[in-house]
Amino acid sequence: MSNPIFLALDIPHLEPAKALLSKVKAHIGGVKLGLEFFCAHGSHGVHEIAHMGLPIFLDLKFHDIPNTVAAAMQAIHVYQPAIVTVHASGGRAMMEDAKAAAAEGCKVVAVTTLTSLDANDLTATGVYGSAETQVMRLAELAHAAGLDGVVCSGHEVGMVRKAWRDGYFVVPGLRPNGGGTGDQKRVVTPRAARDNGASVLVIGRPISRAEDPTEAARAIEATL
Ligand code: C5P
C-alpha cells in the first residue's frame, strides 16, 4: 500500500520548502500545495516542487460558476496534480463539470464544511442544523455529482466512510501521539484516521515544525 501521508507545505519561502521536502521525502507519499503557496510562488513554485518527484495535491478549493471552475481545472492539467479540491457548496453542476474537466486519474475531492466554522458561523450563512448534518449532506451531493470523495476531519471520516464505501477521503488536522495540543481528547492521530477510513493523511506542522522533521515523518510513517 502506498504511503498515505501528504506533507502540507505551508511555508512562505520556496528554498526552505524544498529543503524540508528533501529531508522528509523518503517518509511521505506526496505534497499538498495550498492557496498560500500557489499565490506566493505560482506556476514556477509548483513546477519546482513537482520536479522533486512526489505526487502533488493542489488544494486550491475552487468555488465559482461551473464554466469557470471547469476552465480552471483544465488550466491546471500542466501540473499533473494527483488530487485537487473544490467546494461542495458550489453545487452539483459545478462539481460535475469540475470532474469532467479534470485530467484522467486525478482525484477531485470536495471540501464540505470548513472546520473554522462553528454552529453560529453556519447559522449566520443560512445553514441551520449541526455541522455533521451539513458535512453528510454535502458529501452525498459530492457523491451524486461523481466526485471521488471529500475532505473531512478525523472525527467525521468513519461516519462518511460508512455512507460512501468506495470514497476517497482526505483528512487534515491530525496530531501524532504526544504531539499535544492541550485538549488530548479531541486529537485524532494519523493511525486512528487511517483506521477509520482515511485515504490521505494531510500533515503539516507536526513534521515541518518538528526539531527533526525527518525523524518526525519517519515516526509517523512507522505508526501506519
Ligand atoms: O495543522 P497542520 O499544520 O497539520 O495542517 C495541515 C494542513 O491541513 C494545512 O494546510 C491546513 O490548512 C489544513 N487543515 C485543514 N483543516 C483543518 C486543519 C488543517 O484543512 N481542520
Side-chain angles (χ1 to χ4, degrees), residues 8 10 32 61 115 172-175 202-206:
D10 301 318
K32 185 185 87 111
K61 299 187 176 71
T115 51
L174 301 167
R175 291 295 173 266
V202 173
I203 303 177
R205 287 162 295 178

Side-chain angles (χ1 to χ4, degrees), residues 47-106:
H47 284 302
E48 287 278 296
I49 299 299
H51 283 147
M52 297 182 72
L54 286 167
I56 300 288
F57 170 7
L58 215 43
D59 184 21
L60 300 179
K61 299 187 176 71
F62 290 153
H63 187 176
D64 210 311
I65 59 170
N67 187 55
T68 299
V69 167
M73 276 289 181
Q74 273 163 0
I76 62 176
H77 284 194
V78 297
Y79 306 120
Q80 300 183 293
I83 312 170
V84 299
T85 46
V86 300
H87 271 283
S89 52
R92 180 166 176 161
M94 188 205 81
M95 289 191 278
E96 285 173 350
D97 289 6
K99 181 62 188 172
E104 206 181 320
C106 173

Side-chain angles (χ1 to χ4, degrees), residues 6-10 32 34 36 59 61 114-116 151-153 171-175 202-209:
F6 271 63
L7 175 68
L9 213 47
D10 301 318
K32 185 185 87 111
E36 179 186 342
D59 184 21
K61 299 187 176 71
L114 295 172
T115 51
S116 52
V151 181
C152 56
S153 80
V171 176
L174 301 167
R175 291 295 173 266
V202 173
I203 303 177
R205 287 162 295 178
I207 293 174
S208 61
R209 301 222 182 140

